[in-house]
Amino acid sequence: MEDIRLAEVLTALSLTTDLAAGMTFEKGLRTCVVATMFARDVLASDQETCRAVYETALLRSVGCTSFAPELATVFGDEVAFQSALKHLDPGDDVPLTEQLLRVGGWTRESAQQLTGTLTEVLPTLGVEAMRNGCEASQALGSGLGVLPQTLAALSDVYERWDGQGIPLGAAGSHLSFAARVVHVAEQAVLAHAKGGEPFAVHEVVRRAGGHLDPDLARAFAADAPKLLATLREPDAVASAIGAEPPPYVMVPSERIPDLCAVLGRFVDLKGTWLVGHSEHVARLAESAGRLGGLTADEVTQLRCAALLHDLGRAGISADVWDRPGPLSTADMERVRMHTYWTQRVLERVPALAALAPIAAAHHERLDGSGYHRGAFGTETGPAARILAAADMFATLTEPQASRDAFTVDEAIQLLTREADSGTLDRVACDLVIRAAGGPPSRSPRPAGLTAREIEVLRLAARGLSNQQIGHELSISSRTVGHHLGHIYDKTGRRTRAGVAVYAMEQQLLP
């Protein structure tokens, strides 16, 4: 693989966060272009500040998967909930119920029910969700190598100028400049999609002094025609990559898998049973590819595709991924779409487009029974067939909502059965089985963690409560609390999402 621009990786992540937050595809990219132009041409910001604005706009929703399982427990489809939340304004005189009806897609009864739930849980669950989101954003952003200014801004993306935001209720100039610029641009882009330039200007002015910095809102409104003209560009990906402030940040080829791993962690936070899955699949696929005689470049490409294979999961509610028992026909249709969205995200980004045919084919089957294309026989290449076998083996050996993990021997038998039936490629299955049968690596103990603390961390990363962890390990919930205190101190993380990202970074899962 050749060196690529960091902007292209951030663009792929932005498209994925659109799916996860229930936004129109490319909304984040359009916000990025408008925000960067606003900072550069209207506010005359220096180059580093423009860079921070650019990165913050692309990563604005990178924490949106961090609390998805918990939000789904309360709200059902948390993707639809997050989409509605983007349009609500607690500083508006219009009651939240009426705001929801104005957004559309809600009956009065459902809008009233959501308003009641929001009023009840926002001070507790909402704050906890945003704390998880901010810590996950910073952890993931650090892995991408963005500016310190950007990391600071990512802590403020849920705050408001008037202090009515969360999790800290920070207000006014205490909010980072980059975050305030992105807030204005995002509201303009959201409103423009509904009512064009007049409504965009109206909404920015209406939110001035409430959600938005009033000085920035006035400056935006004064130059709105020029700034919003960029939204007419047909190719948002090209516009976003072209808007990157120079000098361009380049990613050397040897670092590309590390950045792909960050995107995999973002997606794996989507469900409590998914944490660590992408890296697990990538390790199996990479080893199998080497055993199969792929070239070094082909092995690297396979590893990257494996890390990105489930990007499309982000657009489907955690309620589906975490639900025990069989899924309905409607939910299965949603599940089948995740490979399509993986393909669309990767195809849209030039530097990652070559990975799309491999990553998006991990549920294809030789007899045409797979999805989303229903490809037959050798329509998929050797790397894609290895990835399909690795994904199935990894899934079998990981616990799920409705079953315990299969043992390695049981998974080998099941994978062999798939090869015998002609659904998976026999050579690929044999390579994955050989890769899985190698000697286990010594369990690492980073940050001075004890063996027991790693056991607690693994369960906490999957969202288990102190009481549930205690039950699993036959210790008291109070002892679990003591262990978690040590874990937080040693890792520097303070939330469930934070320790989950840490566990994936250190390859402590599954």
Side-chain angles (χ1 to χ4, degrees), residues 122-141:
L122 201 57
T124 52
L125 184 75
V127 170
E128 184 64 19
M130 296 307 104
R131 284 181 63 243
N132 276 265
C134 290
E135 184 161 76
S137 295
Q138 292 201 326
L140 296 169

mmCIF file with all atom_site columns, all heavy atoms in Angstrom, residues 122-141:
data_model
loop_
_atom_site.group_PDB
_atom_site.id
_atom_site.type_symbol
_atom_site.label_atom_id
_atom_site.label_alt_id
_atom_site.label_comp_id
_atom_site.label_asym_id
_atom_site.label_entity_id
_atom_site.label_seq_id
_atom_site.pdbx_PDB_ins_code
_atom_site.Cartn_x
_atom_site.Cartn_y
_atom_site.Cartn_z
_atom_site.occupancy
_atom_site.B_iso_or_equiv
_atom_site.pdbx_formal_charge
_atom_site.auth_seq_id
_atom_site.auth_comp_id
_atom_site.auth_asym_id
_atom_site.auth_atom_id
_atom_site.pdbx_PDB_model_num
ATOM 1   N N   . LEU A 1 122 ? -32.234 12.596 31.064 1.00 0.00 ? 122 LEU A N   1
ATOM 2   C CA  . LEU A 1 122 ? -31.149 13.426 30.544 1.00 0.00 ? 122 LEU A CA  1
ATOM 3   C C   . LEU A 1 122 ? -30.147 13.857 31.619 1.00 0.00 ? 122 LEU A C   1
ATOM 4   O O   . LEU A 1 122 ? -28.929 13.833 31.379 1.00 0.00 ? 122 LEU A O   1
ATOM 5   C CB  . LEU A 1 122 ? -31.713 14.645 29.810 1.00 0.00 ? 122 LEU A CB  1
ATOM 6   C CG  . LEU A 1 122 ? -30.775 15.316 28.799 1.00 0.00 ? 122 LEU A CG  1
ATOM 7   C CD1 . LEU A 1 122 ? -30.319 14.329 27.738 1.00 0.00 ? 122 LEU A CD1 1
ATOM 8   C CD2 . LEU A 1 122 ? -31.448 16.511 28.152 1.00 0.00 ? 122 LEU A CD2 1
ATOM 9   N N   . PRO A 1 123 ? -30.618 14.256 32.813 1.00 0.00 ? 123 PRO A N   1
ATOM 10  C CA  . PRO A 1 123 ? -29.640 14.686 33.828 1.00 0.00 ? 123 PRO A CA  1
ATOM 11  C C   . PRO A 1 123 ? -28.722 13.559 34.314 1.00 0.00 ? 123 PRO A C   1
ATOM 12  O O   . PRO A 1 123 ? -27.668 13.833 34.882 1.00 0.00 ? 123 PRO A O   1
ATOM 13  C CB  . PRO A 1 123 ? -30.530 15.187 34.978 1.00 0.00 ? 123 PRO A CB  1
ATOM 14  C CG  . PRO A 1 123 ? -31.851 15.471 34.354 1.00 0.00 ? 123 PRO A CG  1
ATOM 15  C CD  . PRO A 1 123 ? -32.008 14.444 33.277 1.00 0.00 ? 123 PRO A CD  1
ATOM 16  N N   . THR A 1 124 ? -29.121 12.304 34.117 1.00 0.00 ? 124 THR A N   1
ATOM 17  C CA  . THR A 1 124 ? -28.297 11.194 34.606 1.00 0.00 ? 124 THR A CA  1
ATOM 18  C C   . THR A 1 124 ? -27.716 10.402 33.438 1.00 0.00 ? 124 THR A C   1
ATOM 19  O O   . THR A 1 124 ? -26.516 10.444 33.172 1.00 0.00 ? 124 THR A O   1
ATOM 20  C CB  . THR A 1 124 ? -29.137 10.261 35.501 1.00 0.00 ? 124 THR A CB  1
ATOM 21  O OG1 . THR A 1 124 ? -30.335 9.877  34.786 1.00 0.00 ? 124 THR A OG1 1
ATOM 22  C CG2 . THR A 1 124 ? -29.521 10.969 36.788 1.00 0.00 ? 124 THR A CG2 1
ATOM 23  N N   . LEU A 1 125 ? -28.577 9.704  32.703 1.00 0.00 ? 125 LEU A N   1
ATOM 24  C CA  . LEU A 1 125 ? -28.115 8.887  31.587 1.00 0.00 ? 125 LEU A CA  1
ATOM 25  C C   . LEU A 1 125 ? -27.475 9.741  30.502 1.00 0.00 ? 125 LEU A C   1
ATOM 26  O O   . LEU A 1 125 ? -26.462 9.368  29.911 1.00 0.00 ? 125 LEU A O   1
ATOM 27  C CB  . LEU A 1 125 ? -29.282 8.088  30.997 1.00 0.00 ? 125 LEU A CB  1
ATOM 28  C CG  . LEU A 1 125 ? -28.908 7.117  29.878 1.00 0.00 ? 125 LEU A CG  1
ATOM 29  C CD1 . LEU A 1 125 ? -28.222 5.888  30.452 1.00 0.00 ? 125 LEU A CD1 1
ATOM 30  C CD2 . LEU A 1 125 ? -30.149 6.695  29.082 1.00 0.00 ? 125 LEU A CD2 1
ATOM 31  N N   . GLY A 1 126 ? -28.063 10.914 30.258 1.00 0.00 ? 126 GLY A N   1
ATOM 32  C CA  . GLY A 1 126 ? -27.527 11.795 29.219 1.00 0.00 ? 126 GLY A CA  1
ATOM 33  C C   . GLY A 1 126 ? -26.117 12.251 29.532 1.00 0.00 ? 126 GLY A C   1
ATOM 34  O O   . GLY A 1 126 ? -25.241 12.249 28.665 1.00 0.00 ? 126 GLY A O   1
ATOM 35  N N   . VAL A 1 127 ? -25.901 12.647 30.780 1.00 0.00 ? 127 VAL A N   1
ATOM 36  C CA  . VAL A 1 127 ? -24.564 13.090 31.182 1.00 0.00 ? 127 VAL A CA  1
ATOM 37  C C   . VAL A 1 127 ? -23.569 11.937 31.085 1.00 0.00 ? 127 VAL A C   1
ATOM 38  O O   . VAL A 1 127 ? -22.447 12.105 30.604 1.00 0.00 ? 127 VAL A O   1
ATOM 39  C CB  . VAL A 1 127 ? -24.597 13.669 32.613 1.00 0.00 ? 127 VAL A CB  1
ATOM 40  C CG1 . VAL A 1 127 ? -23.183 13.915 33.129 1.00 0.00 ? 127 VAL A CG1 1
ATOM 41  C CG2 . VAL A 1 127 ? -25.405 14.963 32.634 1.00 0.00 ? 127 VAL A CG2 1
ATOM 42  N N   . GLU A 1 128 ? -23.989 10.745 31.547 1.00 0.00 ? 128 GLU A N   1
ATOM 43  C CA  . GLU A 1 128 ? -23.109 9.587  31.473 1.00 0.00 ? 128 GLU A CA  1
ATOM 44  C C   . GLU A 1 128 ? -22.782 9.232  30.024 1.00 0.00 ? 128 GLU A C   1
ATOM 45  O O   . GLU A 1 128 ? -21.646 8.883  29.694 1.00 0.00 ? 128 GLU A O   1
ATOM 46  C CB  . GLU A 1 128 ? -23.761 8.393  32.172 1.00 0.00 ? 128 GLU A CB  1
ATOM 47  C CG  . GLU A 1 128 ? -22.894 7.145  32.237 1.00 0.00 ? 128 GLU A CG  1
ATOM 48  C CD  . GLU A 1 128 ? -21.626 7.313  33.060 1.00 0.00 ? 128 GLU A CD  1
ATOM 49  O OE1 . GLU A 1 128 ? -21.563 8.260  33.881 1.00 0.00 ? 128 GLU A OE1 1
ATOM 50  O OE2 . GLU A 1 128 ? -20.700 6.513  32.881 1.00 0.00 ? 128 GLU A OE2 1
ATOM 51  N N   . ALA A 1 129 ? -23.782 9.339  29.149 1.00 0.00 ? 129 ALA A N   1
ATOM 52  C CA  . ALA A 1 129 ? -23.563 9.057  27.729 1.00 0.00 ? 129 ALA A CA  1
ATOM 53  C C   . ALA A 1 129 ? -22.530 10.008 27.142 1.00 0.00 ? 129 ALA A C   1
ATOM 54  O O   . ALA A 1 129 ? -21.624 9.597  26.404 1.00 0.00 ? 129 ALA A O   1
ATOM 55  C CB  . ALA A 1 129 ? -24.880 9.168  26.966 1.00 0.00 ? 129 ALA A CB  1
ATOM 56  N N   . MET A 1 130 ? -22.654 11.289 27.462 1.00 0.00 ? 130 MET A N   1
ATOM 57  C CA  . MET A 1 130 ? -21.723 12.259 26.905 1.00 0.00 ? 130 MET A CA  1
ATOM 58  C C   . MET A 1 130 ? -20.329 12.129 27.519 1.00 0.00 ? 130 MET A C   1
ATOM 59  O O   . MET A 1 130 ? -19.324 12.388 26.855 1.00 0.00 ? 130 MET A O   1
ATOM 60  C CB  . MET A 1 130 ? -22.252 13.679 27.108 1.00 0.00 ? 130 MET A CB  1
ATOM 61  C CG  . MET A 1 130 ? -23.549 13.975 26.369 1.00 0.00 ? 130 MET A CG  1
ATOM 62  S SD  . MET A 1 130 ? -23.493 13.589 24.600 1.00 0.00 ? 130 MET A SD  1
ATOM 63  C CE  . MET A 1 130 ? -24.424 12.055 24.523 1.00 0.00 ? 130 MET A CE  1
ATOM 64  N N   . ARG A 1 131 ? -20.231 11.727 28.777 1.00 0.00 ? 131 ARG A N   1
ATOM 65  C CA  . ARG A 1 131 ? -18.923 11.477 29.382 1.00 0.00 ? 131 ARG A CA  1
ATOM 66  C C   . ARG A 1 131 ? -18.230 10.331 28.640 1.00 0.00 ? 131 ARG A C   1
ATOM 67  O O   . ARG A 1 131 ? -17.038 10.401 28.328 1.00 0.00 ? 131 ARG A O   1
ATOM 68  C CB  . ARG A 1 131 ? -19.066 11.130 30.869 1.00 0.00 ? 131 ARG A CB  1
ATOM 69  C CG  . ARG A 1 131 ? -19.357 12.313 31.773 1.00 0.00 ? 131 ARG A CG  1
ATOM 70  C CD  . ARG A 1 131 ? -19.455 11.902 33.232 1.00 0.00 ? 131 ARG A CD  1
ATOM 71  N NE  . ARG A 1 131 ? -18.187 11.373 33.712 1.00 0.00 ? 131 ARG A NE  1
ATOM 72  C CZ  . ARG A 1 131 ? -17.988 10.126 34.138 1.00 0.00 ? 131 ARG A CZ  1
ATOM 73  N NH1 . ARG A 1 131 ? -18.998 9.264  34.156 1.00 0.00 ? 131 ARG A NH1 1
ATOM 74  N NH2 . ARG A 1 131 ? -16.808 9.724  34.560 1.00 0.00 ? 131 ARG A NH2 1
ATOM 75  N N   . ASN A 1 132 ? -18.980 9.277  28.370 1.00 0.00 ? 132 ASN A N   1
ATOM 76  C CA  . ASN A 1 132 ? -18.434 8.166  27.587 1.00 0.00 ? 132 ASN A CA  1
ATOM 77  C C   . ASN A 1 132 ? -18.037 8.647  26.197 1.00 0.00 ? 132 ASN A C   1
ATOM 78  O O   . ASN A 1 132 ? -16.976 8.298  25.681 1.00 0.00 ? 132 ASN A O   1
ATOM 79  C CB  . ASN A 1 132 ? -19.461 7.044  27.476 1.00 0.00 ? 132 ASN A CB  1
ATOM 80  C CG  . ASN A 1 132 ? -19.455 6.106  28.664 1.00 0.00 ? 132 ASN A CG  1
ATOM 81  O OD1 . ASN A 1 132 ? -18.811 5.064  28.652 1.00 0.00 ? 132 ASN A OD1 1
ATOM 82  N ND2 . ASN A 1 132 ? -20.173 6.478  29.717 1.00 0.00 ? 132 ASN A ND2 1
ATOM 83  N N   . GLY A 1 133 ? -18.905 9.439  25.581 1.00 0.00 ? 133 GLY A N   1
ATOM 84  C CA  . GLY A 1 133 ? -18.647 9.927  24.236 1.00 0.00 ? 133 GLY A CA  1
ATOM 85  C C   . GLY A 1 133 ? -17.396 10.774 24.156 1.00 0.00 ? 133 GLY A C   1
ATOM 86  O O   . GLY A 1 133 ? -16.585 10.625 23.234 1.00 0.00 ? 133 GLY A O   1
ATOM 87  N N   . CYS A 1 134 ? -17.222 11.671 25.134 1.00 0.00 ? 134 CYS A N   1
ATOM 88  C CA  . CYS A 1 134 ? -16.052 12.547 25.119 1.00 0.00 ? 134 CYS A CA  1
ATOM 89  C C   . CYS A 1 134 ? -14.769 11.753 25.337 1.00 0.00 ? 134 CYS A C   1
ATOM 90  O O   . CYS A 1 134 ? -13.761 11.992 24.656 1.00 0.00 ? 134 CYS A O   1
ATOM 91  C CB  . CYS A 1 134 ? -16.198 13.628 26.197 1.00 0.00 ? 134 CYS A CB  1
ATOM 92  S SG  . CYS A 1 134 ? -17.471 14.844 25.829 1.00 0.00 ? 134 CYS A SG  1
ATOM 93  N N   . GLU A 1 135 ? -14.790 10.795 26.284 1.00 0.00 ? 135 GLU A N   1
ATOM 94  C CA  . GLU A 1 135 ? -13.578 10.024 26.535 1.00 0.00 ? 135 GLU A CA  1
ATOM 95  C C   . GLU A 1 135 ? -13.248 9.127  25.335 1.00 0.00 ? 135 GLU A C   1
ATOM 96  O O   . GLU A 1 135 ? -12.082 9.004  24.947 1.00 0.00 ? 135 GLU A O   1
ATOM 97  C CB  . GLU A 1 135 ? -13.719 9.178  27.792 1.00 0.00 ? 135 GLU A CB  1
ATOM 98  C CG  . GLU A 1 135 ? -12.443 8.433  28.140 1.00 0.00 ? 135 GLU A CG  1
ATOM 99  C CD  . GLU A 1 135 ? -12.375 7.968  29.583 1.00 0.00 ? 135 GLU A CD  1
ATOM 100 O OE1 . GLU A 1 135 ? -13.056 6.972  29.900 1.00 0.00 ? 135 GLU A OE1 1
ATOM 101 O OE2 . GLU A 1 135 ? -11.651 8.593  30.372 1.00 0.00 ? 135 GLU A OE2 1
ATOM 102 N N   . ALA A 1 136 ? -14.267 8.520  24.750 1.00 0.00 ? 136 ALA A N   1
ATOM 103 C CA  . ALA A 1 136 ? -14.027 7.692  23.560 1.00 0.00 ? 136 ALA A CA  1
ATOM 104 C C   . ALA A 1 136 ? -13.508 8.545  22.404 1.00 0.00 ? 136 ALA A C   1
ATOM 105 O O   . ALA A 1 136 ? -12.601 8.132  21.676 1.00 0.00 ? 136 ALA A O   1
ATOM 106 C CB  . ALA A 1 136 ? -15.310 6.981  23.154 1.00 0.00 ? 136 ALA A CB  1
ATOM 107 N N   . SER A 1 137 ? -14.069 9.747  22.239 1.00 0.00 ? 137 SER A N   1
ATOM 108 C CA  . SER A 1 137 ? -13.618 10.642 21.170 1.00 0.00 ? 137 SER A CA  1
ATOM 109 C C   . SER A 1 137 ? -12.148 10.974 21.323 1.00 0.00 ? 137 SER A C   1
ATOM 110 O O   . SER A 1 137 ? -11.379 10.957 20.352 1.00 0.00 ? 137 SER A O   1
ATOM 111 C CB  . SER A 1 137 ? -14.438 11.940 21.176 1.00 0.00 ? 137 SER A CB  1
ATOM 112 O OG  . SER A 1 137 ? -15.790 11.696 20.877 1.00 0.00 ? 137 SER A OG  1
ATOM 113 N N   . GLN A 1 138 ? -11.745 11.282 22.540 1.00 0.00 ? 138 GLN A N   1
ATOM 114 C CA  . GLN A 1 138 ? -10.341 11.635 22.758 1.00 0.00 ? 138 GLN A CA  1
ATOM 115 C C   . GLN A 1 138 ? -9.425  10.433 22.554 1.00 0.00 ? 138 GLN A C   1
ATOM 116 O O   . GLN A 1 138 ? -8.340  10.556 21.993 1.00 0.00 ? 138 GLN A O   1
ATOM 117 C CB  . GLN A 1 138 ? -10.172 12.225 24.152 1.00 0.00 ? 138 GLN A CB  1
ATOM 118 C CG  . GLN A 1 138 ? -10.845 13.585 24.314 1.00 0.00 ? 138 GLN A CG  1
ATOM 119 C CD  . GLN A 1 138 ? -10.270 14.375 25.475 1.00 0.00 ? 138 GLN A CD  1
ATOM 120 O OE1 . GLN A 1 138 ? -9.877  13.821 26.482 1.00 0.00 ? 138 GLN A OE1 1
ATOM 121 N NE2 . GLN A 1 138 ? -10.220 15.683 25.307 1.00 0.00 ? 138 GLN A NE2 1
ATOM 122 N N   . ALA A 1 139 ? -9.863  9.264  23.026 1.00 0.00 ? 139 ALA A N   1
ATOM 123 C CA  . ALA A 1 139 ? -9.045  8.064  22.857 1.00 0.00 ? 139 ALA A CA  1
ATOM 124 C C   . ALA A 1 139 ? -8.893  7.704  21.382 1.00 0.00 ? 139 ALA A C   1
ATOM 125 O O   . ALA A 1 139 ? -7.793  7.402  20.905 1.00 0.00 ? 139 ALA A O   1
ATOM 126 C CB  . ALA A 1 139 ? -9.654  6.898  23.625 1.00 0.00 ? 139 ALA A CB  1
ATOM 127 N N   . LEU A 1 140 ? -9.996  7.746  20.651 1.00 0.00 ? 140 LEU A N   1
ATOM 128 C CA  . LEU A 1 140 ? -9.944  7.419  19.225 1.00 0.00 ? 140 LEU A CA  1
ATOM 129 C C   . LEU A 1 140 ? -9.185  8.494  18.454 1.00 0.00 ? 140 LEU A C   1
ATOM 130 O O   . LEU A 1 140 ? -8.391  8.190  17.556 1.00 0.00 ? 140 LEU A O   1
ATOM 131 C CB  . LEU A 1 140 ? -11.355 7.253  18.669 1.00 0.00 ? 140 LEU A CB  1
ATOM 132 C CG  . LEU A 1 140 ? -12.161 6.081  19.255 1.00 0.00 ? 140 LEU A CG  1
ATOM 133 C CD1 . LEU A 1 140 ? -13.628 6.184  18.836 1.00 0.00 ? 140 LEU A CD1 1
ATOM 134 C CD2 . LEU A 1 140 ? -11.584 4.744  18.823 1.00 0.00 ? 140 LEU A CD2 1
ATOM 135 N N   . GLY A 1 141 ? -9.421  9.761  18.811 1.00 0.00 ? 141 GLY A N   1
ATOM 136 C CA  . GLY A 1 141 ? -8.723  10.856 18.145 1.00 0.00 ? 141 GLY A CA  1
ATOM 137 C C   . GLY A 1 141 ? -7.224  10.782 18.349 1.00 0.00 ? 141 GLY A C   1
ATOM 138 O O   . GLY A 1 141 ? -6.434  11.052 17.429 1.00 0.00 ? 141 GLY A O   1
#
